[in-house]
Amino acid sequence: MLLARIFFGDIEYNVIFNSLDLEKFAPKMSKNNEILTFIHVGRYTYQKNQEFVIKVFANIKKKKDNSRLMLVGFGEDKEKLKNLIHELNLDESIDLIPGDKVDVSEKYDEADYMIFPSRYEGFGIVLLEAQAKR
């Protein structure tokens, strides 16, 4: 509240707190450190840029074979992404996880790195969730 006074002077204001349940996103699981795991959370659509994530992951996989990628979401590009995964022979290394059927906060526990290559978004809610896990 002090920052509001510093920035805006002695005016009336309301504080809107972060909408994340930090208890839900507190780290819970121990991680398998032998597998390097990446996560991307977002609707399977052009805007979220999962094709780029998959292509970058293919290069990572060449250098670090024990890597894994979780794509959590749903959407119109699911089949397109499945085809790309198959074309790059990454079927065993990439999981398409239905975002409407999983607790995303638990999936963050399994990941070492979060990838957010959105074409339009500057600061999505999933970035706040990922930060809350660390």
Side-chain angles (χ1 to χ4, degrees):
M1 313 324 157
L2 176 61
L3 280 179
R5 278 193 224 109
I6 290 171
F7 286 125
F8 305 111
D10 196 20
I11 62 169
E12 214 172 295
Y13 60 87
N14 292 318
V15 175
I16 301 172
F17 293 98
N18 187 337
S19 63
L20 291 182
D21 178 356
L22 293 179
E23 291 297 319
K24 180 178 179 182
F25 284 92
K28 295 176 185 94
M29 295 173 45
S30 61
K31 166 101 182 57
N32 178 349
N33 291 326
E34 295 189 22
I35 300 173
L36 184 62
T37 305
F38 298 86
I39 188 170
H40 176 274
V41 178
R43 212 172 59 255
Y44 300 150
T45 186
Y46 173 82
Q47 173 186 345
K48 303 297 183 178
N49 208 7
Q50 286 97 350
E51 286 183 52
F52 178 74
V53 173
I54 292 167
K55 290 174 184 175
V56 167
F57 179 74
N59 286 314
I60 292 170
K61 185 77 175 159
K62 288 176 189 173
K63 295 186 188 293
K64 186 133 174 93
D65 189 51
N66 61 339
S67 298
R68 177 175 157 230
L69 172 63
M70 297 182 289
L71 297 175
V72 181
F74 54 88
E76 62 269 13
D77 284 355
K78 183 176 181 178
E79 289 305 313
K80 186 177 179 181
L81 297 175
K82 275 183 166 179
N83 291 337
L84 179 59
I85 291 167
H86 185 69
E87 182 181 307
L88 296 172
N89 297 315
L90 294 169
D91 301 284
E92 299 299 316
S93 302
I94 299 179
D95 298 319
L96 289 171
I97 301 167
D100 57 345
K101 303 206 184 320
V102 69
D103 183 351
V104 176
S105 68
E106 291 178 8
K107 291 299 171 190
Y108 282 120
D109 277 331
E110 298 174 33
D112 296 299
Y113 297 99
M114 195 267 199
I115 303 174
F116 187 74
S118 176
R119 295 177 191 270
Y120 312 126
E121 297 167 288
F123 195 80
I125 295 296
V126 296
L127 289 176
L128 289 175
E129 292 173 350
Q131 287 177 342
K133 282 312 258 190
R134 301 291 164 206

